[in-house]
Amino acid sequence: MRLLHTSDWHLGRAFHRVNMLDAQSRFIGHLVTTAREREVDAVVVSGDVYDRAVPPLAAVQLFDDALHRLADLGVPTVMISGNHDSARRLGVGAGLIGRAGVHLRTDPAGCGTPVVLTDAHGDVAFYGLPYLEPALVKDEFGVEKAGHETVLAAAMDRVRADLAGRAPGTRAVVLAHAFVTGGEVSDSERDITVGGVASVPAGVFDGADYTALGHLHGSQTITERVRYSGSPLPYSFSEADHRKSMWLVDLGPDGSLATERIDCPVPRPLARLRGHLEDLLADPALERHTDAWVEATLTDPVRPGDPMARLAERFPHTLSLVFDPERSPQAPGVSYARRIAGRSEEQIAEDFVAHVRGVGPDVREQAVLRDAFDAVRADETVRETAR
């Protein structure tokens, strides 16, 4: 059975104020064309279909168009909700849409109920594990501790229990939206840390012949059977080195795999330039970035005059301008943003405690801070999906 694995469409998201709907529409066309030309048997979409719980109308219309085009193609599609989606909104009409061959899996209670497709060698069971916010689903799975690993492990227990009751030789494909240990992050993914832990081990998915992951925006192989497709388009300059693609997966009768990366159309390359303004404007080696979306980091000790306009004369698609003067982090005048760069919200809070009283939080206080951030994150998720 041939699968086409994609995820993290983020319909409605912009790239530094550049509207990406046209590029997202071209990607949908590319997806449909690939599925037809490469004779795909099933398409799997591993979450973050939308960029936010209440997407703009234009994004909803594009999703509606994607549903119709996938249904018209006649290739079954299995799709789960991600941490950016409202599971309840995305799942509206799932029963009716499923009759057209597009199977939406957004309810955590359905993790152990697969979409079963059949090829010449038998059944393939597709298990959809939507994004599982630990604080919201721990009661559903009967776990005491609300953590990513515990709820995913409980969901996979249901998968394995269902699979054990099926005909011998039934192959299993799992769709999941999670941060798996070993994955490389970028700046454009929303933090899902709970209890100080964001990632889960790949071994959680043992028993599946293929696990189609979503959440991380870089295409990557965690193990031979556990892979991220990555987002089809860039959503931050930290993705400048990404090769945007989908996975074409041939699942053999014995569960063996053959995989191929299918490149996605990207509207413009990304370039991250760094140096003194005059050097960036004069360096002939940078000519190749003229048509790229550019993030320029200026290291001039003194901020130069009118830098954005001057950069745009040479690089017309400059979208981001960062100032990082050449001086030590302890030097006077270093910005607060630079001092906290790369630090988590919890680490910033711990730094604040240390700054105010002269000593950082102890183990008990760290646990209180973790619980507070987890509660806020869960509350935000509830309020966002209830809008």
Side-chain angles (χ1 to χ4, degrees):
M1 184 170 286
R2 174 165 286 183
L3 319 175
L4 188 60
H5 167 201
T6 177
S7 71
D8 295 274
W9 296 355
H10 289 279
L11 301 182
R13 186 167 186 162
F15 180 76
H16 288 267
R17 300 177 303 282
V18 174
N19 190 311
M20 297 289 276
L21 277 171
D22 285 345
Q24 290 167 344
S25 180
R26 286 195 293 275
F27 162 70
I28 297 298
H30 171 69
L31 169 69
V32 171
T33 298
T34 301
R36 182 178 61 250
E37 293 182 349
R38 299 301 297 269
E39 299 181 335
V40 167
D41 298 304
V43 173
V44 295
V45 186
S46 299
D48 280 354
V49 175
Y50 289 123
D51 188 54
R52 57 181 187 263
V54 184
L57 180 58
V60 177
Q61 291 173 329
L62 180 54
F63 179 60
D64 181 65
D65 177 63
L67 290 178
H68 280 85
R69 296 178 72 175
L70 289 167
D72 290 343
L73 191 63
V75 175
T77 299
V78 185
M79 184 180 296
I80 62 172
S81 50
N83 63 300
H84 280 251
D85 299 309
S86 165
R88 294 184 66 181
R89 282 188 173 85
L90 187 64
V92 169
L96 289 173
I97 296 170
R99 297 180 187 178
V102 180
H103 305 278
L104 298 172
R105 291 294 184 264
T106 64
D107 184 356
C111 287
T113 305
V115 176
V116 180
L117 304 179
T118 303
D119 65 10
H121 307 286
D123 290 343
V124 180
F126 290 78
Y127 296 91
L129 279 56
Y131 173 66
L132 303 174
E133 177 64 41
L136 303 183
V137 303
K138 66 183 183 68
D139 292 339
E140 165 63 34
F141 292 106
V143 298
E144 294 183 5
K145 185 178 179 181
H148 289 295
E149 183 174 354
T150 55
V151 296
L152 272 169
M156 281 301 300
D157 284 344
R158 293 188 184 183
V159 168
R160 285 185 283 265
D162 179 85
L163 191 60
R166 296 188 175 273
T170 299
R171 291 155 288 167
V173 174
V174 170
L175 289 72
H177 196 88
F179 179 12
V180 175
T181 303
E184 295 184 4
V185 302
S186 62
D187 294 341
S188 53
E189 298 121 4
R190 183 180 294 172
D191 180 29
I192 60 171
T193 301
V194 173
V197 178
S199 65
V200 300
V204 165
F205 302 104
D206 285 352
D209 293 290
Y210 182 71
T211 298
L213 293 174
H215 180 58
L216 300 185
H217 288 182
S219 177
Q220 47 201 298
T221 300
I222 304 300
T223 72
E224 182 64 20
R225 297 187 180 277
V226 180
R227 297 170 184 257
Y228 283 98
S229 66
S231 62
L233 293 166
Y235 292 113
S236 73
F237 277 102
S238 65
E239 301 169 52
D241 295 329
H242 286 189
R243 174 186 165 192
K244 295 302 183 182
S245 58
M246 303 177 286
W247 284 110
L248 189 69
V249 180
D250 285 316
L251 180 60
D254 58 351
S256 60
L257 296 176
T259 59
E260 176 186 350
R261 287 179 71 177
I262 305 294
D263 290 329
C264 296
V266 177
R268 289 186 188 280
L270 306 185
R272 307 184 90 174
L273 311 183
R274 182 182 180 88
H276 288 204
L277 176 61
E278 296 301 333
D279 293 338
L280 297 183
L281 296 177
D283 188 350
L286 301 181
E287 191 65 28
R288 67 186 188 278
H289 300 308
T290 300
D291 293 326
W293 280 325
V294 169
E295 177 189 72
T297 299
L298 301 184
T299 59
D300 303 71
V302 178
R303 184 173 301 204
D306 207 13
M308 192 65 166
R310 295 171 66 189
L311 280 166
E313 289 181 3
R314 184 177 189 193
F315 308 106
H317 305 288
T318 301
L319 299 180
S320 176
L321 183 59
V322 180
F323 294 97
D324 188 16
E326 294 173 335
R327 52 192 178 192
S328 70
Q330 291 76 33
V334 174
S335 71
Y336 177 71
R338 186 181 178 194
R339 293 200 301 272
I340 67 172
R343 300 186 68 74
S344 69
E345 292 176 339
E346 187 178 326
Q347 289 171 326
I348 293 169
E350 292 177 2
D351 290 346
F352 175 76
V353 172
H355 173 74
V356 169
R357 71 181 189 189
V359 61
D362 59 26
V363 173
R364 182 186 63 81
E365 291 167 332
Q366 289 175 340
V368 170
L369 284 172
R370 279 198 303 271
D371 290 345
F373 279 110
D374 291 348
V376 169
R377 186 177 295 108
D379 182 64
E380 287 177 345
T381 301
V382 171
R383 286 188 288 109
E384 186 171 285
T385 56
R387 288 170 57 192

